[in-house]
Amino acid sequence: MKLFSSVNDVPDVQLLVKEALRLKQNPYAHKDLGENKTIALVFLNPSLRTRMSTQKAALNLGMNVMVLNMDKEGWALELRDNVIMNGTAVEHIREAAAVMGQYADIIAVRSFPGLKDRDEDYNEVIFNKFVEFCGVPVVSLESATRHPLQSLADLITITELKKRDRPKVVLTWAPHIKPLPQAVPNSFAEWMCRADVEFTIANPEGYELCGDFTKGAIITHNQHEALADADFIYVKNWSAYEPYGKVSPVSEDWMLTNERLKITNDAKIMHCLPVRRDLELSSEILNGSSSIVVHEAGNRVWAAQAVLKRMLEGLG
Ligand code: CP
């Protein structure tokens, strides 16, 4: 594997999930694989889980890890070609990415969307420039439109905890105070559409995700209807795809409470974290037995380790 940016980079999703679950049982079985190999984790935006879980995964495989908080410690990057760099950008991404590729065997990049120019975000301009210029395999640590390591961890979690062969999984929109990217819900939808689950998306009118990510999903504006008989409920806010990046008022209350879970099949509640308590998701749910958000975050290690193992095997 030379690129991990979406579910489309994975030939057999179920095999990768099984690999991750094997690694969870025996984390140090491949400690020699990463010997004398280095991964650079490059963050253009903040992170807790992605940073720590990917570091842990690389260490479990015996790799060396370098972390660069590009947004705080790196030079400001120019992305455009054919511009005179007489503004705030100090270094062009062509040189920056190519130089990183001299120091690392694998580069992993986090870059959020600007939420202003849909074409720029959905063409993954920043992430794709890293891929184009660094010259080594690249892992997405969340890009403008997808968060594949999160989605793989989510699928690992559902596979581990499901009580029936084909569980009902619901992705529900939740309230927030600011416009958030569509990367997590896009990605979750894309992975669920490839998994053996019954998948429903519930969102208010005006918050439809881009159709490219939701083919095969049932989509409804009725959260109550969607929750009926659900086994897993994935809670997440996102801003509108159309008009892009905007937040329009929602009259109904979309925050989940224990009362709303009564019609589910004893559903487990998921969220990628960080979560704003009592805005996106109620404290009573987060503090209760239905929440599996910490378990889910723990599985980020095995998702990252399975992907890095595939990449290391490809390095030879
Ligand atoms: N879920 C997730 O990616 O968390 P971080 O932003 O803290 O990495």
Side-chain angles (χ1 to χ4, degrees):
M1 186 187 281
K2 293 204 178 323
L3 177 67
F4 182 74
S5 64
S6 84
V7 72
N8 302 320
D9 298 318
V10 181
D12 188 327
V13 171
Q14 286 313 318
L15 266 185
L16 192 61
V17 169
K18 278 186 187 153
E19 171 99 79
L21 289 170
R22 271 197 303 275
L23 290 167
K24 186 169 183 173
Q25 294 307 314
N26 200 356
Y28 310 113
H30 306 279
K31 189 87 182 161
D32 295 343
L33 194 58
E35 191 181 5
N36 298 327
K37 296 281 189 275
T38 299
I39 185 168
L41 309 182
V42 182
F43 288 89
L44 282 75
N45 304 96
S47 168
L48 185 161
R49 280 142 291 272
T50 306
R51 173 194 309 262
M52 296 182 77
S53 61
T54 311
Q55 269 189 285
K56 174 72 176 145
L59 293 170
N60 286 352
L61 291 165
M63 299 186 81
N64 302 309
V65 183
M66 298 189 295
V67 181
L68 177 59
N69 299 309
M70 198 75 197
D71 52 338
K72 297 181 186 72
E73 300 157 357
W75 300 111
L77 287 181
E78 178 59 67
L79 304 174
R80 299 165 299 171
D81 281 326
N82 306 316
V83 291
I84 298 169
M85 287 174 55
N86 59 359
T88 52
V90 177
E91 177 154 36
H92 202 281
I93 195 164
R94 284 177 178 263
E95 284 82 43
V99 168
M100 288 178 202
Q102 299 292 304
Y103 305 146
D105 301 284
I106 297 172
I107 289 180
V109 182
R110 164 165 283 197
S111 66
F112 286 172
L115 290 181
K116 290 187 172 66
D117 181 334
R118 188 166 79 186
D119 285 345
E120 185 176 311
D121 289 345
Y122 273 70
N123 284 325
E124 293 285 6
V125 170
I126 299 177
F127 183 80
N128 285 339
K129 283 188 189 287
F130 271 97
V131 174
E132 184 178 358
F133 299 125
C134 76
V136 295
V138 179
V139 179
S140 167
L141 298 176
E142 185 172 348
S143 66
T145 64
R146 292 178 169 99
H147 194 352
L149 285 177
Q150 177 68 53
S151 307
L152 175 55
D154 298 334
L155 183 55
I156 291 165
T157 306
I158 290 168
T159 305
E160 260 186 322
L161 300 181
K162 68 181 180 181
K163 291 189 198 137
R164 48 181 163 176
D165 285 346
R166 196 161 190 274
K168 177 174 178 182
V169 178
V170 177
L171 166 64
T172 180
W173 185 89
H176 207 280
I177 51 162
K178 54 183 262 206
L180 294 190
Q182 295 124 29
V184 168
N186 279 346
S187 200
F188 185 73
E190 194 172 49
W191 283 71
M192 285 305 115
C193 290
R194 289 274 291 271
D196 192 13
V197 301
E198 182 191 329
F199 182 49
T200 298
I201 303 171
N203 57 260
E205 280 186 51
Y207 286 90
E208 282 70 32
L209 293 168
C210 170
D212 293 349
F213 298 86
T214 61
K215 288 188 183 82
I218 298 163
I219 300 171
T220 175
H221 297 140
N222 187 329
Q223 188 192 56
H224 181 76
E225 195 178 275
L227 298 184
D229 204 32
D231 298 288
F232 295 92
I233 303 171
Y234 201 93
V235 178
K236 186 72 183 85
N237 171 269
W238 61 87
S239 60
Y241 179 70
E242 178 69 61
Y244 186 63
K246 300 293 181 235
V247 175
S248 53
V250 173
S251 53
E252 291 164 20
D253 184 1
W254 278 71
M255 189 183 74
L256 276 194
T257 56
N258 279 335
E259 179 63 29
R260 292 193 190 180
L261 300 186
K262 285 181 179 166
I263 59 166
T264 71
N265 184 30
D266 194 21
K268 297 297 178 197
I269 309 303
M270 305 176 73
H271 189 290
C272 62
L273 302 180
V275 64
R276 288 183 183 243
R277 282 174 168 250
D278 298 310
L279 176 70
E280 270 186 286
L281 190 48
S282 61
S283 289
E284 64 176 14
I285 287 184
L286 285 163
N287 295 342
S289 58
S290 60
S291 170
I292 54 170
V293 298
V294 173
H295 183 105
E296 179 187 359
N299 280 337
R300 292 291 305 273
V301 174
W302 319 115
Q305 196 166 331
V307 169
L308 294 182
K309 178 172 178 282
R310 290 272 172 97
M311 283 203 165
L312 287 169
E313 286 164 348
L315 290 178

